[in-house]
Amino acid sequence: MKTIYATRGEFSPIVVRLINLTGLHKAADYYWIYNRSLSAPYHNSTHVDFMLQDLILMARATRMTMLELTVLTTAVIFHDFNHTAGHMTDSGNIAIAKDDYREFAHYAQTHSRTIAVVTALIDSTQFPYVPAFLNSSAMAEIDSWLKTSGALMDLNGLVDCIRDLDLMTIFHMLDAGTERDRCVSQYYGLYREIRVSKPDLTLEQFITGNAQFLRDAKFSTAYGGHRKEEFLEIANNLFSAHLTPAQIASNRTPGMVVRAGSTMP
């Protein structure tokens, strides 16, 4: 069954296949119809699309069960739903996303256990990470349901997956063609969102700080660690040379070059 997306947009072809595989047509349609942050500078539909592309590859590498793949896909779709793009703290954005997901879940008549898992996964993406985002008894209850439902991962394992997926979208700047260009645009979009609360932040400061952040980032899954190593193998020396992401991307494949201090796209 092909998804019927709203006219506002559509995910990339490989993600459409994921939506068809998991049967999350209602979730995808709801995303395109009711999400007001589709065109935000960074927390937009491209960010979600990149995360879902990586989820597919991660699922292949780890042999996820259908339950694991379905709850992760749902959580990725909703984790930044109606994001304020820098105008609220992340805890506020997460609260909005959870409320909107619960509204969708009620409309879709979603099982209460599934709602608990997806809500916990959305909660876990608040950044900086909150160590105890869920009390131990609630976590134990979710873990018990996951185990009896045939999942191979517990909630912590699923949390590791979605947190890694959320961090690694920047690595798509090493892709070819339009995917690379979309990622470069995302990078500058993140800068624009951060400047909402830090208007004095220069592009050079952002590039330097983000490069260090990527070097220090801890990935909990084998797939995430591999993606980071692949990225830094190419990007690390170029970051040290104070090149912009567009220049890093063009070093891999010919493309546009945007110098630090130039006009933002």
Side-chain angles (χ1 to χ4, degrees):
M1 176 179 175
K2 191 182 187 308
T3 50
I4 307 175
Y5 294 121
T7 56
R8 295 192 186 189
E10 184 168 309
F11 292 121
S12 59
I14 190 172
V15 173
V16 172
R17 291 197 291 273
L18 172 64
I19 299 299
N20 288 331
L21 176 66
T22 55
L24 292 172
H25 311 98
K26 286 183 179 179
D29 284 339
Y30 195 91
Y31 176 84
W32 289 107
I33 295 169
Y34 296 107
N35 185 10
R36 296 185 299 275
S37 59
L38 294 173
S39 299
Y42 176 79
H43 291 95
N44 52 31
S45 58
T46 297
H47 175 62
V48 169
D49 192 75
F50 281 164
M51 286 181 67
L52 292 175
Q53 288 184 43
D54 280 316
L55 174 57
I56 294 166
L57 298 176
M58 181 184 284
R60 290 173 180 170
T62 59
R63 299 193 174 190
M64 285 182 188
T65 66
M66 185 57 67
L67 173 61
E68 293 163 347
L69 185 60
T70 300
V71 295
L72 281 168
T73 301
T74 307
V76 169
I77 288 173
F78 283 96
H79 82 289
D80 284 330
F81 202 92
N82 284 331
H83 198 281
T84 62
H87 293 277
M88 290 180 63
T89 63
D90 208 35
S91 60
N93 290 314
I94 291 294
I96 291 171
K98 289 192 299 182
D99 285 346
D100 284 318
Y101 168 66
R102 291 190 187 101
E103 186 173 335
F104 161 76
H106 175 74
Y107 150 74
Q109 298 182 315
T110 306
H111 192 285
S112 60
R113 298 298 189 190
T114 301
I115 295 173
V117 176
V118 173
T119 303
L121 290 175
I122 294 172
D123 240 335
S124 74
T125 63
Q126 179 178 328
F127 196 84
Y129 297 140
V130 179
F133 65 91
L134 193 66
N135 66 61
S136 57
S137 61
M139 185 171 288
E141 191 174 339
I142 288 174
D143 284 342
S144 176
W145 178 75
L146 286 170
K147 184 176 181 180
T148 57
S149 300
L152 301 179
M153 285 186 273
D154 60 11
L155 181 59
N156 280 325
L158 294 172
V159 166
D160 287 344
C161 291
I162 196 168
R163 285 178 171 176
D164 279 10
L165 292 167
D166 206 10
L167 284 178
M168 69 174 67
T169 57
I170 190 64
F171 300 157
H172 282 265
M173 71 170 64
L174 298 185
D175 293 344
T178 57
E179 291 298 278
R180 175 205 65 214
D181 294 340
R182 288 169 74 200
C183 188
V184 172
S185 178
Q186 284 293 101
Y187 188 91
Y188 290 117
L190 180 59
Y191 173 59
R192 288 197 291 271
E193 288 193 10
I194 291 175
R195 286 192 70 211
V196 172
S197 60
K198 298 180 179 178
D200 295 329
L201 181 71
T202 67
L203 180 57
E204 289 82 358
Q205 289 170 335
F206 170 73
I207 291 171
T208 301
N210 190 259
Q212 190 59 51
F213 172 81
L214 292 172
R215 293 189 191 103
D216 295 341
K218 307 295 183 186
F219 288 87
S220 299
T221 65
Y223 176 75
H226 171 74
R227 286 283 280 168
K228 176 183 176 180
E229 289 178 8
E230 179 185 48
F231 175 78
L232 289 182
E233 182 179 352
I234 295 172
N236 213 9
N237 290 336
L238 299 176
F239 272 136
S240 298
H242 304 291
L243 299 184
T244 68
Q247 289 171 307
I248 292 169
S250 65
N251 185 75
R252 176 69 173 263
T253 53
M256 65 177 182
V257 174
V258 181
R259 299 186 182 280
S262 64
T263 303
M264 297 266 294

